[in-house]
Amino acid sequence: MLANILKKIMIIAIDESGNFNTNSNEYNIFVAAHIQDKNGSLEIKKRQFENWEKTIPACMKDKKGEIKGQLLGKVEIKNFIKNVVYQKPEIRFTYVSIIPNKNKKELINRHKQFETIQLKLKLDSLRKADTRKAKINFLEQLANWTNKRNEIEYLKLLCLKNCLYNGLHNTFIYCTAFNLIDELLDIEIKIDKDFISNEDVYWKIYSLRSIQEMTKKRPLPMLKDWEENHPIRKKYIIKNEGFDLKIPFKDNLKFVDSKENFEIRIVDIAAIVYYRHWNKKGGNANFESLKKKSAVRDGHHHLILTEFDLENEIENIKNEIK
């Protein structure tokens, strides 16, 4: 019991807002909330949020008693920011946005095709290396699963992996700046399971593989004076191989039910604030208040898919594998 009280954790909770339809000209958004749990302080944040939930009238809730965010007015959200977000323990935000119809369907599918081919080329190299059959079979299933995603699901995959990695990256910057090293050693990632299919194992492995790949182009920030035996380096870096995020987050990345995880409900309300602001649906004062609680700068990354030569990129991967 005492060990749990003295534990220091950083929770990254993720939810989304928008339909991600390729015809949508609105900002569709994924948000990560960074919630510090220091010596049991998470219970304080839970009470703050549940007390706010109790102030919401029944007409703004569904039959199960859960808040219908789209019905919340400016006053309710203002009180959420004042009585939950701005209260200790600390909470910060990172978010990613995309306007689906600003990205051609052909380009969306080309990006998906490229990721599928990447996986299949990896499969070929594993077969040549005589890797365990079970691992090869699963990677083959993942490649087929990725290829079968429709445009809406693939846009969600893109936003999720970018929100995940930006959330992690900003967590490292924030915790390093405020010397929250213990929290960096124990990061828990909770993602709302409502927007995914029942194949959450594939969403999880896709997410883990993606953030692992993203460290190659944009490494997680580390202080120069952290030596090789520093706890952070020992946990997240394999000598001569670079970052390893798949092992640290194998058991610490979960798709969860919002009803049982208040952190998801918190980030759901924050997502409404960002969604309304960027889609010019009001609440600018609430947005400006929330903006001050960004993890890093304004905490916002807007995605636009880039054009690329598929055949050329495939050749580059083949050369890397050789």
Side-chain angles (χ1 to χ4, degrees):
M1 180 69 176
L2 182 60
N4 288 333
I5 292 174
L6 297 178
K7 203 171 185 181
K8 297 179 181 179
I9 301 172
M10 181 60 75
I11 293 172
I12 300 176
I14 296 177
D15 200 3
E16 46 80 44
S17 184
N19 59 25
F20 293 84
N21 190 297
T22 51
N23 295 320
S24 172
N25 62 357
E26 293 190 330
Y27 284 80
N28 290 245
I29 292 169
F30 266 74
V31 182
H34 312 251
I35 306 174
Q36 188 181 356
D37 183 9
K38 183 177 181 180
N39 302 336
S41 63
L42 193 65
E43 283 300 313
I44 298 173
K45 186 59 67 182
K46 183 179 180 181
R47 285 197 299 274
Q48 291 167 357
F49 182 68
E50 289 179 344
N51 286 338
W52 172 79
E53 284 183 312
K54 291 174 184 176
T55 68
I56 305 303
C59 62
M60 294 182 181
K61 298 178 181 178
D62 60 22
K63 293 179 181 179
K64 296 180 181 178
E66 294 186 26
I67 294 171
K68 298 174 75 172
Q70 69 271 23
L71 297 181
L72 292 174
K74 294 178 183 178
V75 173
E76 287 79 20
I77 291 179
K78 180 181 179 180
N79 289 334
F80 161 75
I81 295 172
K82 177 184 176 182
N83 298 323
V84 180
V85 175
Y86 270 70
Q87 301 301 313
K88 297 293 183 181
E90 195 68 68
I91 179 169
R92 298 277 171 169
F93 297 97
T94 294
Y95 66 108
V96 168
S97 64
I98 192 167
I99 302 175
N101 76 354
K102 297 293 184 183
N103 301 276
K104 297 177 182 177
K105 286 186 180 181
E106 184 276 330
L107 183 58
I108 294 171
N109 285 304
R110 200 191 321 159
H111 274 263
K112 182 182 73 172
Q113 185 182 1
F114 176 59
E115 288 202 54
T116 303
I117 292 170
Q118 272 185 309
L119 287 167
K120 290 184 175 179
L121 289 173
K122 178 68 174 178
L123 272 169
D124 292 340
S125 68
L126 290 176
R127 289 190 182 102
K128 291 175 183 177
D130 200 25
T131 307
R132 285 188 303 111
K133 190 174 181 180
K135 183 175 181 179
I136 291 173
N137 288 344
F138 184 81
L139 200 59
E140 191 169 30
Q141 291 169 14
L142 180 64
N144 292 332
W145 177 85
T146 303
N147 191 47
K148 289 178 181 177
R149 297 310 93 200
N150 59 37
E151 287 101 343
I152 292 174
E153 289 177 315
Y154 186 66
L155 286 178
K156 287 186 177 183
L157 281 171
L158 284 177
C159 287
L160 173 59
K161 73 178 183 181
N162 277 278
C163 189
L164 258 174
Y165 194 67
N166 278 286
L168 273 175
H169 198 276
N170 291 349
T171 294
F172 268 71
I173 293 174
Y174 180 80
C175 287
T176 302
F178 291 94
N179 198 32
L180 304 174
I181 304 305
D182 289 342
E183 284 81 348
L184 281 181
L185 291 170
D186 201 346
I187 298 173
E188 292 184 7
I189 300 172
K190 296 184 177 185
I191 306 170
D192 185 19
K193 70 177 185 179
D194 278 358
F195 67 85
I196 69 169
S197 62
N198 291 327
E199 302 160 317
D200 58 332
V201 63
Y202 293 114
W203 284 84
K204 178 175 179 175
I205 298 303
Y206 176 91
S207 299
L208 288 173
R209 287 183 59 84
S210 296
I211 60 176
Q212 177 71 30
E213 284 297 310
M214 292 170 91
T215 63
K216 295 177 182 178
K217 292 183 178 179
R218 188 184 170 210
L220 291 173
M222 297 270 171
L223 290 182
K224 292 180 179 179
D225 60 357
W226 285 354
E227 297 180 355
E228 192 175 298
N229 63 349
H230 189 282
I232 301 297
R233 287 189 175 275
K234 287 174 70 175
K235 177 155 188 172
Y236 296 108
I237 297 179
I238 297 178
K239 190 176 180 181
N240 301 324
E241 292 186 30
F243 284 92
D244 174 34
L245 302 183
K246 287 184 285 186
I247 293 176
F249 293 112
K250 180 175 177 290
D251 298 318
N252 277 11
L253 188 154
K254 298 175 182 177
F255 290 87
V256 299
D257 187 347
S258 61
K259 188 174 182 179
E260 298 170 1
N261 295 268
F262 80 96
E263 304 96 331
I264 298 296
R265 304 202 300 279
I266 283 180
V267 77
D268 176 57
I269 306 303
I272 292 167
V273 177
Y274 294 123
Y275 181 83
R276 288 181 180 177
H277 169 77
W278 286 105
N279 293 307
K280 303 188 186 305
K281 296 185 178 182
N284 288 343
N286 286 330
F287 169 78
E288 291 299 330
S289 294
L290 204 60
K291 185 178 178 181
K292 293 175 183 176
K293 288 297 182 179
S294 299
V296 177
R297 294 182 294 278
D298 67 353
H300 182 203
H301 177 63
H302 184 65
L303 292 176
I304 299 176
L305 296 184
T306 55
E307 288 283 352
F308 69 102
D309 186 314
L310 181 59
E311 292 184 3
N312 186 53
E313 289 300 322
I314 291 171
E315 284 303 312
N316 289 340
I317 294 174
K318 287 179 178 178
N319 292 331
E320 288 177 10
I321 292 174
K322 287 179 182 178

